């Protein structure tokens, strides 16, 4: 595995719209046929294979048995891994064990296909056995034998999830072809086409097997989340999906954050938050113009972008949450101070890395969300693909016969390079070779797990769940959102947060007793429940269920909804100017719109253009002018204003309604 990013965007592009419910078809009735018919989401209603080799390592660690029954992926990382050896299970041994674990029920086994020619071209830690030109060997000695085994009728009832060649295509986007971060090895792989053709071959060959579900690597938000990387990455994945005789039908979905540490959700900031009059995208070094703050937002946007680029509309995304928990004593409990973009983001971000390009054995990281099926819209599962406790790379040179090199990003004394913004590597010391068991890292991951692991050392061994939240109610609805509030739970070791479910889908988390679910469809009924979580990872029973119907967006023939974004264009202390952009996010043209907000401070509008306003106390209402009420679907208009001010200038939260 390698690293990462760089190549900064500086172009504007609309953030992708998040939506889309994952369709979860009911499994076929005949018991012998569960795998024969491909399902939309292989994880729904299925067990997942626990790799006995990983489980044995984990269980041997103090406290490790609390997680050793979690499913992790089997990495086919060299030709010899297919047959195995006297001391390690081969592919057939794993599949036979999976059939036993399945016990006749729907069952997923997760494989990583990882042996491309010239592997890991931007780093050294996971260089592989095949040289840059050895595509013929990759096909005949690696992919073909794997395909033969997977097609064995003995395994026809397994749902075989393959994640294909981690890091390879993303590396061609950021680390090849004249970029500041290019390496000679990635330039070679881009020029000779062997990554694209190898991935295409693997997809075609494995995708021809009816019970194989292929997922290809979409990097992570701290790698490809810049506008200038995002589109080229999706295009390149599409190119690979249609190379070597493959078609997009061989791609069941994507995986993000594989073996990386990017947070699933950053609860205390978004990149669009405005601090000291500027969006933090522009002012925080951590964000540095990235379009995304975390993996969930990135994954959902990636999916939309991929569908727009020609991938199947049913694709789903997997998120590797094995090591992105970021719990422990250093986890922030609220937003940072609003004195500057850096203070705000650095004080509030849960990802504690020195820089998001750091990728090797990160100090301070913890186990992330436990593997879960269908946790959010468009997400097939949270998975543990990188087996926690297996090293990312040696922290000093170690002789080996696996082709693995020594990458200084795994050396804690290294002061960095262009790919991590010349920061320290943040790696743990004394690490063994990539893929080898690293006990100290496992201990660290257990200690900093988030959600915490009961008995994991960082939490407590408490097993008492919080009381269920009560009095859940809907406090407001718009055409696209439902706001909820509830009465707090109690717990013997303290409630740490609440998870909000729409039906059975986890839509978000809150630390306070309120939450707004957005991106909804107008005039639609939704049903919610909330569960509380405590510091030891115990989860309460569900609250009462509440139903809420989103507002009608009017307009007669369709749905009109809108969003409004706020930007201070100049601020001279005693006053400021701001622009608000109103975008029609509905499915029909608007005829009128209204934007409201409440100031946190003493701001007072003095004049406003391209709209009409009233301000009463801190409450502001702006309606369209006669000439800009009509906005086409997807279109925007803007108004601006001048205001006086005598205190801090915190940006308000805007509410937009349209008809
Ligand atoms: C290593 C592989 C290993 C995998 C899972 C990669 O970084 O290169 O050899 O199987 O991690 O731990």
């Amino acid at each position: 595995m390698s690293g990462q990013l760089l190549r900064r965007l500086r172009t504007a592009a609309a953030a992708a719209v998040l939506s889309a419910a994952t369709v979860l078809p009911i499994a076929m009735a005949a018991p012998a046929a569960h795998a024969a018919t491909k399902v939309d989401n292989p994880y729904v209603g299925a067990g997942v294979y626990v790799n006995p080799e990983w489980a044995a390592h984990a269980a041997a660690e103090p406290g490790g048995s609390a997680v050793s029954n979690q499913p992790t992926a089997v990495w086919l990382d060299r030709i010899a891994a297919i047959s195995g050896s006297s001391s390690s299970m081969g592919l057939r041994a794993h599949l036979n064990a999976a059939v036993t674990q399945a016990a006749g029920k729907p069952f997923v086994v997760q494989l990583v296909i990882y042996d491309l020619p010239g592997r890991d071209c931007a780093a050294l830690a996971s260089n592989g056995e095949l040289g840059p030109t050895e595509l013929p060997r990759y096909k005949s000695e690696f992919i073909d034998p794997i395909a033969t085994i997977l097609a064995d009728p003995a395994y026809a009832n397994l749902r075989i999830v393959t994640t294909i060649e981690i890091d390879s295509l993303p590396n061609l986007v950021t680390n090849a072809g004249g970029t500041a971060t290019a390496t000679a090895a990635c330039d070679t792989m881009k020029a000779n086409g062997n990554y694209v053709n190898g991935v295409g071959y693997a997809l075609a060959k494995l995708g021809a097997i009816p019970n194989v579900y292929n997922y290809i690597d979409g990097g992570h938000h701290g790698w490809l989340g810049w506008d200038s990387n995002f589109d080229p990455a999706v295009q390149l994945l599409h190119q690979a999906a249609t190379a070597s005789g493959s078609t997009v039908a061989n791609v069941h979905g994507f995986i993000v954050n594989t073996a990386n540490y990017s947070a699933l959700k950053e609860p205390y900031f978004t990149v669009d938050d405005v601090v000291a009059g500027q969006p933090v995208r522009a002012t925080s070094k951590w964000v540095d113009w990235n379009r995304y703050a975390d993996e969930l937002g990135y994954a959902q946007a990636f999916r939309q972008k991929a569908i727009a680029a020609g991938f199947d509309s049913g694709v789903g995304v997997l998120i590797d949450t094995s090591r992105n928990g970021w719990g422990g004593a250093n986890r922030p409990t609220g937003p940072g101070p609003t004195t500057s973009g850096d203070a705000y983001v650095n004080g509030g971000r849960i990802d504690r890395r020195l820089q998001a390009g750091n990728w090797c054995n990160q100090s301070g990281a913890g186990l992330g969300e436990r593997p879960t099926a269908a946790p959010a819209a468009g997400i097939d599962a949270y998975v543990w693909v990188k087996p926690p406790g297996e090293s990312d790379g040696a922290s000093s040179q170690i002789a080996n016969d696996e082709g693995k090199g020594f990458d200084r990003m795994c050396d804690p004394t290294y002061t960095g390079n262009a790919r991590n913004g010349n920061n320290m590597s943040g790696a743990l010391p004394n690490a063994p070779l990539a893929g080898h068991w690293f006990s100290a890292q496992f201990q660290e991951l257990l200690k900093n797990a988030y959600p915490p692991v009961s008995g994991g050392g960082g939490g407590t061994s408490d097993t008492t769940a919080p009381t269920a939240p009560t009095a859940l109610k809907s406090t407001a609805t718009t055409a696209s959102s439902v706001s909820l509030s509830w009465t707090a739970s109690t717990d013997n070791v303290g409630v740490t947060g609440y998870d909000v479910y729409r039906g059975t889908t986890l839509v978000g988390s809150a630390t306070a007793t309120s939450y707004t679910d957005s991106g909804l469809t107008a005039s639609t009924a939704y049903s919610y429940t909330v569960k509380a979580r405590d510091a030891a990872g115990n989860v309460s029973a569900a609250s009462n269920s509440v139903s809420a119907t989103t507002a009608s967006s009017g307009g007669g023939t369709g749905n009109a909804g809108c969003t409004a974004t706020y930007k201070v264009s100049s601020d001279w202390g005693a006053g400021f100017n701001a622009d608000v952009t109103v975008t029609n996010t509905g499915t029909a043209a608007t005829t009128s719109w209204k934007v409201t907000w409440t100031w946190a401070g003493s701001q007072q509008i003095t004049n406003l253009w391209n709209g009409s306003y009233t301000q009463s106390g801190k409450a502001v209402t702006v309606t369209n002018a006669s000439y800009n009420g009509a906005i086409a679907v997807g279109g925007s208009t803007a108004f601006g204003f001048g205001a006086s001010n005598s205190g801090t200038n915190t940006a308000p939260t805007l509410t937009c309604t349209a008809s």
Side-chain angles (χ1 to χ4, degrees):
M1 295 296 303
S2 85
Q4 319 304 19
L5 56 127
L6 283 251
R7 200 157 95 167
R8 306 267 146 85
L9 80 130
R10 285 213 145 112
T11 54
V17 176
L18 314 183
S19 75
T22 306
V23 185
L24 308 176
I26 309 300
M28 299 275 101
H34 14 256
T37 311
K38 229 176 220 176
V39 293
D40 176 68
N41 181 349
Y43 290 86
V44 168
V48 189
Y49 178 58
V50 176
N51 178 345
E53 295 186 314
W54 177 80
H57 276 300
E61 296 288 342
S65 54
V67 293
S68 60
N69 62 347
Q70 292 294 342
T72 55
V74 171
W75 285 62
L76 299 172
D77 63 345
R78 72 201 80 167
I79 292 163
I82 302 171
S83 55
S85 68
S86 56
S87 58
S88 67
M89 292 168 75
L91 179 55
R92 276 191 187 279
H94 281 296
L95 295 173
N96 292 340
V99 169
T100 305
Q101 287 183 19
K105 302 204 186 63
F107 203 72
V108 170
V109 58
Q110 307 173 114
L111 306 177
V112 181
I113 306 298
Y114 192 53
D115 201 27
L116 267 186
R119 191 177 72 190
D120 205 17
C121 64
L124 304 171
S126 283
N127 288 166
E129 63 191 345
L130 299 179
T133 60
E134 292 193 286
L135 185 61
R137 284 191 67 199
Y138 178 71
K139 293 179 177 175
S140 65
E141 295 179 43
F142 188 66
I143 296 298
D144 292 355
I146 292 173
T148 302
I149 294 171
L150 298 189
D152 187 327
Y155 309 128
N157 283 338
L158 296 172
R159 299 176 181 177
I160 301 173
V161 165
T162 56
T163 58
I164 307 286
E165 298 298 351
I166 305 312
D167 281 356
S168 54
L169 300 173
N171 266 328
L172 296 192
V173 176
T174 59
N175 297 324
T179 65
T181 52
T183 67
C186 290
D187 280 344
T188 300
M189 299 319 299
K190 184 168 187 169
N192 72 16
N194 285 346
Y195 277 4
V196 166
N197 291 327
V199 169
Y201 187 81
L203 288 171
K205 198 79 196 184
L206 304 177
I209 302 164
N211 55 318
V212 167
Y213 297 77
N214 287 321
Y215 291 79
I216 45 179
D217 185 26
H220 65 101
H221 91 278
W223 188 353
L224 301 177
W226 285 270
D227 293 351
S228 52
N229 298 340
F230 198 67
D231 275 330
V234 172
Q235 296 305 328
L236 185 66
L237 264 51
H238 191 269
Q239 190 192 334
T242 51
S244 304
S246 178
T247 69
V248 292
N250 292 314
V251 176
H252 202 75
F254 305 92
I255 180 160
V256 301
N257 200 44
T258 308
N260 210 281
Y261 297 87
S262 287
L264 180 66
K265 296 176 200 165
E266 281 289 359
Y268 306 125
F269 79 94
T270 74
V271 299
D272 297 318
D273 287 348
V274 175
V275 167
Q278 295 286 324
V280 300
R281 276 187 78 216
T283 54
S284 146
K285 283 195 212 52
W286 174 262
V287 179
D288 192 23
W289 294 97
N290 198 311
R291 189 66 72 178
Y292 305 95
D294 56 30
E295 290 306 294
L296 185 56
Y298 174 74
Q300 291 174 320
F302 196 95
R303 176 175 179 276
Q304 294 294 337
K305 184 71 84 175
I307 293 168
F311 283 98
D312 192 279
S313 61
V315 286
V317 187
L318 306 177
I319 304 180
D320 187 355
T321 57
S322 63
R323 306 183 303 178
N324 67 352
W326 297 108
N330 295 331
R331 183 183 171 93
T333 54
T338 52
T339 42
S340 71
D342 275 336
Y344 176 73
V345 171
N346 290 337
R349 65 180 160 91
I350 60 157
D351 181 342
R352 307 309 299 162
R353 279 179 294 183
L354 298 169
Q355 210 259 2
N358 281 353
W359 54 269
C360 195
N361 300 326
Q362 288 301 285
S363 162
L367 301 169
E369 287 288 339
R370 314 305 174 255
T372 315
I379 308 301
D380 280 357
Y382 296 152
V383 290
W384 282 10
V385 163
K386 176 72 184 185
E390 292 187 11
S391 172
D392 295 314
S395 46
S396 58
Q397 188 88 47
I398 298 176
N400 68 90
D401 61 1
E402 301 172 27
K404 287 174 179 152
F406 165 46
D407 196 294
R408 297 243 16 230
M409 288 294 287
C410 303
D411 170 356
T413 68
Y414 183 49
T415 53
N417 58 34
R419 280 185 291 284
N420 79 335
N422 294 300
N423 281 276
M424 298 292 288
S425 71
L428 293 170
N430 307 318
L433 286 173
H436 291 223
W437 191 253
F438 187 11
S439 170
Q441 187 191 31
F442 186 85
Q443 294 300 324
E444 173 108 346
L445 291 167
L446 203 53
K447 187 177 74 177
N448 294 325
Y450 197 92
V453 170
S454 191
T460 77
S461 56
D462 167 62
T463 55
T464 307
T467 61
T470 54
L472 175 65
K473 58 177 190 274
S474 150
T475 53
T477 54
T478 69
S480 63
S481 70
V482 172
S483 297
L484 302 164
S485 77
W486 56 90
T487 301
S489 300
T490 58
D491 184 77
N492 57 328
V493 296
V495 172
T496 49
Y498 297 91
D499 291 335
V500 179
Y501 291 81
R502 187 198 310 132
T504 55
T505 301
L506 174 63
V507 288
S509 301
T511 46
T513 53
S514 60
Y515 182 82
T516 297
D517 186 26
S518 51
L520 303 176
T521 306
S523 307
T524 305
Y526 295 93
S527 158
Y528 294 90
T529 53
V530 177
K531 295 179 184 174
R533 205 147 50 183
D534 75 8
N538 300 301
V539 176
S540 76
S543 67
N544 61 300
S545 156
V546 71
S547 283
T549 302
T550 44
S552 124
S553 52
T557 53
N559 292 325
C562 59
T563 57
T565 55
Y566 176 96
K567 187 170 183 301
V568 172
S569 51
S570 60
D571 188 341
W572 55 94
F576 65 99
N577 287 336
D579 298 311
V580 175
T581 303
V582 179
T583 303
N584 178 352
T585 53
T587 55
T590 64
T591 52
S592 67
W593 47 260
K594 179 169 79 172
V595 179
T596 58
W597 68 87
T598 304
W599 295 116
S602 59
Q603 297 95 330
Q604 173 65 51
I605 295 184
T606 49
N607 63 321
L608 186 139
W609 50 98
N610 298 333
S612 308
Y613 81 99
T614 57
Q615 177 166 352
S616 163
K618 295 176 185 297
V620 177
T621 301
V622 180
T623 52
N624 57 279
S626 57
Y627 51 85
N628 67 359
I631 312 174
V633 175
S636 296
T637 188
F639 63 87
F641 63 86
S644 61
N645 183 31
S646 60
T648 53
N649 195 11
T650 308
T653 302
L654 308 188
T655 302
C656 188
T657 49
S659 59

